[in-house]
Every structure is written in structure tokens, then in C-alpha cells.
Amino acid sequence: MRLISINSRQISKRVLLTGIMFFLYGLLYTSTLHAASPDAIDISTHHQGQTTGDNYYYLVDKSNALSLSDVIANSSWTKSEPNITNRGFTSASSWMKFTLKNSSQTNFNIILEYVEASVGSIDVYHRRLGSDEEFTHANFTFSAPVEAREVSFYRPAFELSLPYLESHEVYVRIFPGDEFPMHSFTAMRIWDQASFYLATHIELTFLVILLCTELFMGFATLLVFFISRDKMFLYYSIFAFSIASLFASLSGVWGYFFARESYQLWMVVLQISLSQIAAIWFVRCFLNIRQISKMIDNALLVAIAVSIAGVIINLSGYPYYPRLIIDNIAFLYILLVPIGLFAWKKDVPHAGLFTFSWAVFILGMLTASLRLRGYLIDSFWLQWLIYLGGFIEAFLLTTIMVLRLRDMQHAKLKIELTHRQHLENYANELSQQVKLQTKQLLEAKEKAETEARVDILTGLTNRRAFIESAHGFLARANRQPETHLYLLMIDIDHFKKINDTYGHSAGDAALVAVANSLSETIRTIDVVSRLGGEEFAALMENKDPQGAINLSERLRKAIEELVIEHEGQQIKLTTSIGIAKWGPMDNLDTLMNQADRALYQAKESGRNCVNSSCFEHHQLRLV
């Protein structure tokens, strides 16, 4: 037992010692690998859009003041970490150093493409490895005109010729910009020219399809808004246009096609801010947040207000804080998913599909933001995930808007069907009542016409009805020249005195009494009317002029003999009458003027009399 124990402890010591030696050897080997120089990039096999990968050194210039000669002599170069090319948000310049070699027997004209569209400036320097030649220099500046770019493309790209069996050392300075921190990548894609233009044409085609889809959906929903007047379609239209603008900006297409002379980084921030405002407002309205949760609604309004403040600050020339605002708002987008689920639980129409489509869009936005911040390893698919998510989201949201339009049509049809059913249910009842209602309508019409033609106080026809009837009399008289037509203008004497002495109610009683006397004396085939105030008119046919004067005198006497009882008082009154005879050359106006002049003469003659001066060619006598 003792010997076994001793041998076991010796074996354990040997195993421990061996493990320590392997551990130290592993550390030494790892550090040796880490310190190894990056491999030269062979473009004969590396020209289909592959990136520089881990085959470069990088140097961070926080002063943004180092020149090419400074960085060549600098000893602080660091070998790239595996799969890490994103240097996060920074204002410092990043330098890359790598070697390109052409091991083939063919000259290569290659293109170096930066992986992002938004960057302050990029400088590329290259020369034959080991030579003392001057470096060939090319520059890309974001705000410069498009015509100044070495390669006409919407992302930074540079041409480089590499003869066969030669190697070139390449230095790249990546300056994010000094207005605000920007994402910075130490990665360049390597293309031969044919592959570059083929890939970029395919990429541009996809971008154009995406942008045209967004624009088409924006214009289509705008048209639906003008037809339906549903504001939701207007909000979605604005959102679609803002997303199209955002995608065009992020991809570099906006600056390349629409702002070729000058496009600034702050404009990119502005377009992102506007798209965020449109998106949050659309979500708020579509999910009916104001009705289902006041607290959430207030939070969304605060986010919109902060974004609007960011736009104002940006336009005032201070883009730093707006840049921070859009980053934080982008991360808050994830909260819109539970908000959508909450609305779905509250039975908001299509909230479930809306939340799913928004989740797709948010996935693209978040991955893009995490990629730009350096939290995710950069790759082609991550770069394009935001556009793919936007395309899917646009398709789903348009589907939702189509469903909303369908719901509106169904609601309209439902209302129409309900109304039709209602009509059918009450058809029999309405058919039974139609005759009664028609009769009532006719009676109401006759009553309305009568009230429009009758003086309410006296019951006689009013001035309007008198003029209509008089035109009929005159038309008939014109067709029958032998007709004798007479117009009597009748006015109560001192009517104002009656009102002033006995009151207006007494005056009304006097008017009624005179009207009754006129109605009793004049034939029903003739026309008697109250023209207004205390003035009456009568239009009658009489072959004998003497008969007209006699009738007028009977009227005068009948009124003179009236005794009006009013509130215990007896009121007597008289009238003055003017008579005019129609002639073939007379119209209603001239006839009424003649009668008015005769009435005036009767007043001048002392009142309570009949004046018939227009009958000077006839022997007339008063009876």
C-alpha cells in the first residue's frame, strides 16, 4: 500500500508538470500567431467582391493630423483582429495597411470598394512593394460633386492597376467626418472590373425595385386617401415616401442621383429623423393608441417631439445631438412590437399582421444599428438586411392597407344591405301609408302656396297673388279687346290715427272689417287683395263704366257704415277709392299708376270719396 501511494504522487507531479509545459507552449504559439504578419492578398483568386478580411494592419489617428509619411514611420500599427472590421462610432481616422499581389500571368485592373456609403472622406495610396516610387493617390469626399469621384458609383470606390507578378503596398485613410461620430469600417472589397459592374448593376436593380415599390405604394395610398378621405392612407403614404427617402440615403443612391453637386452627412441624419417621425406617427394612428392607452400615447408623442426637436437642431447647424437622438429612437423601435401586441389584444383591426410586419422592419433596423456600432460581425447579408426587411415590411403593410380598404368597402356594403333590408321590411307599411302621405303632402303644399299668396290677417290674397292674377286678367283682356277692365285702389283714411288712438289691435280689427266688406261686395270672379298696410286693390271686369263707379260707391258707403266694436269702444272709419280703366296700350304698372293718381286726387278732395278722373269721356254719375 505505501509503495503504490508513492508511485501515484510521482505520476501526478509528472502529469501536472507536463500540463504546465503544454499551456506555456500554447500561449507562446498563440502570441506568435498573433504577431505574425498578415498575408498578402492574392488578387488572382481574390477579386469577386471578397473583403480584405484579416489581412491588414490598422492604426487609429485620434488627432486626424497624421500624414502618409507619418503613418509609414509609425510603429503603432496593430494587426487586425479575426472577423472584426468595425471600429464603432468615432470621429478619429482609421488607417489600413495591406499588400496586394498578382501571382497570375495577367494584368489586373481592380476596384477597391468601401463597404459603406456614408463616410466623410477616404484616401487611398498605393505603389509597387519595395520601391521608392511616389504613391498613387485617390480621394473620395462625401460632400464633393459626384463628378469628382474616381469611380462613378454611389459608394466610395477606387481603381488600381496591378501588373502580373507584382505586389503593391496599399494605405487607406478612412475619415468618418468631424460633424459628429460616425461608424468606421476597416474593410475594402476587392473586385475585378467586370465582376464589379455586374454585381453593382444587380444591386442597383434591386435598390430601384425597392424604391419604386415604396414610391408606388406611397402614390397608390395617396390616391386612395383622396378618394376615401381616410387619413390613415395619407399617413401611410407619408411613411412610404419617408422610407423610400431613407433607403435612398443609406444606400448612397440619393446623393448619387438626386444631389449630385453636394450632399452632406447632416442631410442623411435629417432624412432618418423625418422617417422616424413619420413611422411613429403612423404606428400611433394605425394602432389607435390614443384610444387604448393614454400613457403609451403620451410616450409616443414625446418621442415624436424629441425627433422634431432634433430636426430643428439639425437644420440650425448642430447635427451632433440629432445624431444621438436617431440612434436612441432606433433602439426604442423594439418597444413598438409589444405595443402592437397590446393593440392586437385590444382587438384593433389587423394589429397582429401589422405587428409582424413591423417586427420584420425593426429586425432590419436593429441589425443595421448593431452592425454600425460594431456589435455584429460585418457581412454582406447584414448590410442588406435592412433593405430586405424594408421590402418585406412594405409588402405586408400594403397588404394591411388593402385589407383596410376592403374592410371599408365591406362596411359600406353592410350598411347598404342593412338599409335595403330595412326598406324591404317596411315596404308593405310604406305602400299603405303612401296615399295618406301623398295627400298630406298635397295639402301641405296647397297650404304653403295659400299662405304664400294669402294675407294672414285679412284672409285676402296678398300683393304677390294680386300681381299674378292681374297679369292673367291683362293677358285675357289683350286677347279680347272688347273686355272692360277696371282697377280700384282703396285706402283707409287716417289709419295711423286709429292705431295711435286705439292701439294696433284695433287697427288690425279695422283691416279685417274692411277686408270682409270688400269680400262681401265684390264678385268672387274678380280679384280683391290687400297690397300692404291699409291699402287694398280690386281688379274686375264690367262692361258698363257706370257699373264700376257704382260698385266703388257701394264699397265706400258700406265701409263708412261699419261700426267696429273693440274692447268696449266703437270705431268708425272711411275710405278713399281711386279708379282706373285699362286700355290696350296699358300694362299693369301703368294701370296701377293711374289708379294711384286717382286715389291721390280722392285724398286731396277731402277723403271718403271715389275719384274717377280717368273716365272723362263718359257721362258718369255718383249714386
Side-chain angles (χ1 to χ4, degrees):
M1 291 293 295
R2 184 174 180 183
L3 290 174
I4 293 175
S5 174
I6 292 173
N7 291 336
S8 299
R9 283 198 291 268
Q10 289 176 346
I11 293 172
S12 298
K13 288 180 181 180
R14 290 176 182 176
V15 171
L16 178 60
L17 182 59
T18 302
I20 293 173
M21 291 177 64
F22 273 108
F23 177 75
L24 293 175
Y25 177 80
L27 287 178
L28 180 62
Y29 181 77
T30 303
S31 61
T32 303
L33 286 178
H34 181 72
S37 299
D39 295 332
I41 302 171
D42 189 350
I43 63 170
S44 63
T45 59
H46 209 82
H47 57 86
Q48 298 291 325
Q50 297 93 334
T51 67
T52 47
D54 304 329
N55 300 308
Y56 67 93
Y57 285 107
Y58 74 92
L59 174 68
V60 177
D61 175 17
K62 295 183 179 180
S63 66
N64 293 322
L66 296 179
S67 65
L68 175 62
S69 58
D70 293 331
V71 298
I72 291 176
N74 198 296
S75 60
S76 300
W77 288 93
T78 305
K79 186 184 181 301
S80 63
E81 301 89 343
N83 298 321
I84 296 178
T85 59
N86 193 326
R87 304 304 161 189
F89 281 89
T90 179
S91 297
S93 298
S94 296
W95 285 84
M96 295 178 63
K97 178 174 67 171
F98 54 90
T99 301
L100 298 177
K101 71 175 182 179
N102 181 4
S103 62
S104 70
Q105 299 296 321
T106 306
N107 294 333
F108 264 95
N109 292 319
I110 65 171
I111 290 179
L112 293 178
E113 176 205 355
Y114 186 57
V115 296
E116 268 297 310
S118 300
V119 61
S121 65
I122 295 180
D123 292 277
V124 174
Y125 305 88
H126 67 93
R127 69 179 178 184
R128 188 161 51 88
L129 182 64
S131 71
D132 294 329
E133 301 171 356
E134 292 291 331
F135 279 92
T136 301
H137 174 226
N139 170 264
F140 169 90
T141 301
F142 188 83
S143 59
V146 172
E147 287 75 10
R149 301 180 183 182
E150 183 174 88
V151 177
S152 183
F153 188 51
Y154 44 85
R155 284 195 298 271
F158 308 89
E159 291 183 343
L160 191 151
S161 296
L162 196 61
Y164 66 93
L165 301 178
E166 279 193 8
S167 297
H168 279 213
E169 57 179 327
V170 182
Y171 290 86
V172 180
R173 178 181 182 266
I174 303 161
F175 176 53
D178 54 4
E179 293 180 321
F180 44 77
M182 284 287 291
H183 43 270
S184 178
F185 289 87
T186 50
M188 304 290 287
R189 294 194 185 102
I190 303 171
W191 302 87
D192 64 78
Q193 288 189 351
S195 300
F196 173 78
Y197 289 113
L198 175 61
T200 54
H201 288 166
I202 294 173
E203 176 184 309
L204 184 59
T205 300
F206 175 75
L207 277 173
V208 169
I209 292 174
L210 173 62
L211 295 176
C212 288
T213 301
E214 290 285 356
L215 292 175
F216 172 77
M217 293 172 180
F219 283 114
T221 49
L222 185 62
L223 178 61
V224 173
F225 162 71
F226 285 123
I227 296 174
S228 66
R229 294 298 173 181
D230 184 353
K231 291 183 179 180
M232 197 60 60
F233 290 95
L234 174 62
Y235 299 151
Y236 178 73
S237 176
I238 296 173
F239 171 67
F241 289 141
S242 69
I243 292 299
S245 170
L246 173 65
F247 289 163
S249 174
L250 294 178
S251 63
V253 169
W254 187 281
Y256 184 73
F257 287 105
F258 307 114
R260 295 179 63 85
E261 292 302 319
S262 179
Y263 189 53
Q264 308 290 331
L265 288 173
W266 67 264
M267 297 179 184
V268 179
V269 176
L270 176 63
Q271 288 171 292
I272 297 174
S273 297
L274 293 177
S275 67
Q276 288 178 340
I277 294 171
I280 296 174
W281 183 265
F282 173 62
V283 170
R284 172 180 176 268
C285 296
F286 186 90
L287 296 180
N288 201 16
I289 300 299
R290 182 170 55 180
Q291 301 297 326
I292 63 177
S293 174
K294 192 68 175 176
M295 182 181 67
I296 297 177
D297 185 59
N298 289 335
L300 294 180
L301 289 176
V302 169
I304 293 173
V306 171
S307 297
I308 292 174
V311 170
I312 296 173
I313 295 171
N314 195 356
L315 293 175
S316 301
Y318 302 96
Y320 177 81
Y321 292 106
R323 179 69 178 86
L324 299 179
I325 290 173
I326 62 173
D327 282 342
N328 288 283
I329 293 294
F331 277 104
L332 289 177
Y333 271 15
I334 195 172
L335 297 178
L336 296 179
V337 174
I339 291 175
L341 294 175
F342 176 72
W344 175 62
K345 186 177 180 181
K346 292 290 185 178
D347 296 327
V348 174
H350 310 301
L353 183 58
F354 180 89
T355 303
F356 176 73
S357 66
W358 198 253
V360 173
F361 179 69
I362 291 174
L363 177 62
M365 291 288 291
L366 286 179
T367 52
S369 183
L370 292 172
R371 168 182 170 268
L372 295 177
R373 288 175 176 268
Y375 297 130
L376 295 178
I377 298 174
D378 183 40
S379 69
F380 176 83
W381 291 109
L382 278 181
Q383 182 181 356
W384 281 92
L385 187 58
I386 183 174
Y387 304 111
L388 181 62
F391 185 83
I392 297 173
E393 182 257 0
F395 175 77
L396 293 176
L397 283 182
T398 302
T399 302
I400 292 172
M401 299 311 291
V402 171
L403 292 175
R404 181 180 179 88
L405 183 61
R406 185 201 64 180
D407 291 345
M408 293 172 59
Q409 293 175 337
H410 285 177
K412 181 180 178 181
L413 289 175
K414 184 177 181 180
I415 293 174
E416 292 177 353
L417 290 174
T418 302
H419 181 64
R420 185 180 302 172
Q421 187 66 38
H422 175 78
L423 292 177
E424 291 176 357
N425 291 339
Y426 289 95
N428 294 332
E429 181 180 349
L430 291 177
S431 62
Q432 295 174 0
Q433 294 179 356
V434 65
K435 291 184 179 179
L436 176 62
Q437 291 180 350
T438 302
K439 181 180 178 181
Q440 292 174 346
L441 287 173
L442 290 174
E443 291 175 351
K445 180 182 177 182
E446 291 176 0
K447 182 179 179 182
E449 291 177 350
T450 299
E451 290 177 351
R453 297 169 57 86
V454 173
D455 178 63
I456 297 177
L457 178 65
T458 62
L460 300 178
T461 56
N462 56 21
R463 185 182 187 89
R464 171 187 168 186
F466 172 77
I467 292 174
E468 292 175 357
S469 300
H471 281 300
F473 270 75
L474 294 181
R476 187 165 59 253
N478 281 319
R479 293 192 297 270
Q480 301 173 355
E482 69 278 3
T483 301
H484 297 275
L485 197 61
Y486 303 95
L487 175 62
L488 280 63
M489 299 294 285
I490 306 156
D491 189 85
I492 300 175
D493 297 329
H494 302 296
F495 182 73
K496 183 176 182 303
K497 184 177 180 180
I498 295 174
N499 279 333
D500 293 343
T501 303
Y502 302 103
H504 287 281
S505 58
D508 290 345
L511 291 172
V512 172
V514 171
N516 292 337
S517 182
L518 293 175
S519 298
E520 292 170 358
T521 306
I522 297 176
R523 299 174 303 177
T524 57
I525 61 173
D526 297 325
V527 177
V528 58
S529 304
R530 180 189 176 194
L531 299 185
E534 68 272 23
E535 188 175 20
F536 298 82
L539 187 65
M540 59 187 181
E541 294 181 358
N542 198 320
K543 293 184 178 180
D544 181 10
Q546 184 62 49
I549 196 69
N550 290 342
L551 176 61
S552 300
E553 184 61 24
R554 286 200 304 275
L555 281 173
R556 185 194 65 77
K557 286 184 177 180
I559 294 172
E560 182 182 26
E561 294 172 357
L562 287 175
V563 177
I564 301 169
E565 298 286 343
H566 180 74
E567 295 181 356
Q569 302 183 61
Q570 293 184 343
I571 304 172
K572 296 185 66 63
L573 50 82
T574 61
T575 56
S576 298
I577 302 175
I579 307 174
K581 181 178 182 299
W582 171 80
M585 302 300 295
D586 294 332
N587 56 29
L588 182 59
D589 290 337
T590 58
L591 187 63
M592 292 183 72
N593 287 337
Q594 293 175 22
D596 280 335
R597 285 195 296 271
L599 176 62
Y600 178 76
Q601 292 173 4
K603 294 285 188 179
E604 290 295 314
S605 301
R607 294 183 172 80
N608 193 24
C609 63
V610 177
N611 184 279
S612 54
S613 57
C614 58
F615 298 118
E616 62 270 18
H617 300 296
H618 299 276
Q619 286 292 345
L620 301 175
R621 58 188 179 82
L622 298 175
V623 295

